[in-house]
Amino acid sequence: MLHVANGGAVRIGVLASGDGWHVRDLARAALRLNHELRAVSFRHLEGNIGAGSAVAGALRHGRAGAGERLDLGRLDCVIVRTMPAGSLEQVIFRMDVLHRLRACGVAVLNPPRALEAAVDKYLACCRLEAAGVPVPRTVACEDAGTALDAFERLGGDVVVKPIFGSEGRGITRVTDREVAYRVFRTLERFGAVLYLQEFVPHEGADLRAFVLGDRVLAAMCRRHASDWRTNVARGARAEAAEPAADLCDLAVRAARAIAAPAAGVDLLTGRDGRTYVLEVNAVPGWRALARATGVDVAEHLLRFAAQEAATRA
């Protein structure tokens, strides 16, 4: 990694699914910063042991085989831009590859341990609680009867979430015991983990803070007039926000608890005045955030990635 130490162009790989908006935004910022940036899909990675480069990826591919190969072990930094659905074997292999890259001296943003924690809502909540970060009361189990008991203990008003998932997909609010029983039994039949959180009454808005290192880079308030869910992907309106110092500190503490240097932290202030951390996203998007705040998140992220790479050079 001598080119990093000597101040040369930083070589960055982006693990992404296709050439979406975030990849194009990173490419734009990389061109401005004179960095080299290449994108590759998790599906086209190969891990090698005694057979060439430790980790490689196909840049052009087809059913007949791969074209140009990118040696990820020779990069300065790899940014994880997506974590697509897959089998247990596939997900474990992807994490293995990221761990291997770090062992080869490549900076990985975010590190695999952070991804493993953040993608699992129950594990993330455990880490947050252990760090003294306030989270809603939560119960996770596999049995519908146990979940029904938890429904009552949590006040008969809960949010049921998939333990893996983002952008509000698969989330439902349940306030009726009979409906709760049907929902829990259905999820049980599909072999799902039943993940319940108490519903926190609020004013239809939450805060998304983008944490980078030890500070909040930018933040936005998300409001929804007709839905208790405030995800922009579900139609919420985003506007720039300047959170108070205590909220910024809370967001940074939450990201640190997950060990994620770059994270999207969702904070919700209830009608009782208490603020809770709902989620820490270790693969955070920034399209709505950049539009609302005018902050060039991609450029800041690449500068941070270059600094991370320099510390490992």
Side-chain angles (χ1 to χ4, degrees), residues 207-211 216-220 243 247-248 251 263-267 289:
L207 185 76
R208 162 57 71 96
F210 195 102
V211 175
V216 171
L217 173 66
M220 65 180 177
L247 294 184
C248 289
V265 181
D266 294 341
L267 302 100
L289 180 71

Side-chain angles (χ1 to χ4, degrees), residues 57-73:
L59 296 175
R60 294 194 304 270
H61 58 89
R63 292 186 180 277
E68 181 185 356
R69 294 171 73 252
L70 176 67
D71 185 347
L72 275 71

Side-chain angles (χ1 to χ4, degrees), residues 222-275:
R222 303 180 297 188
R223 302 180 185 277
H224 206 304
S226 59
D227 196 324
W228 55 271
R229 291 163 291 194
T230 55
N231 306 83
V232 172
R234 304 194 65 87
R237 185 179 77 255
E239 55 191 44
E242 294 185 8
D246 60 333
L247 294 184
C248 289
D249 177 68
L250 181 59
V252 171
R253 285 169 51 209
R256 192 175 295 143
I258 304 300
V265 181
D266 294 341
L267 302 100
L268 181 70
T269 300
R271 289 176 181 158
D272 61 0
R274 296 188 63 193
T275 299

Side-chain angles (χ1 to χ4, degrees), residues 125 136-141 143-144 146-152 154 157-162 172 174 180 183-184 187 193-199:
C125 261
R137 290 184 299 162
T138 302
V139 174
C141 61
D143 172 67
T146 302
L148 196 60
D149 290 341
F151 170 78
E152 298 291 351
L154 295 176
D157 188 353
V158 303
V159 178
V160 184
K161 304 179 180 181
T172 187
V174 181
V183 169
F184 300 155
L187 291 172
V193 172
L194 305 174
Y195 183 89
L196 291 68
Q197 278 191 332
E198 65 174 330
F199 178 75

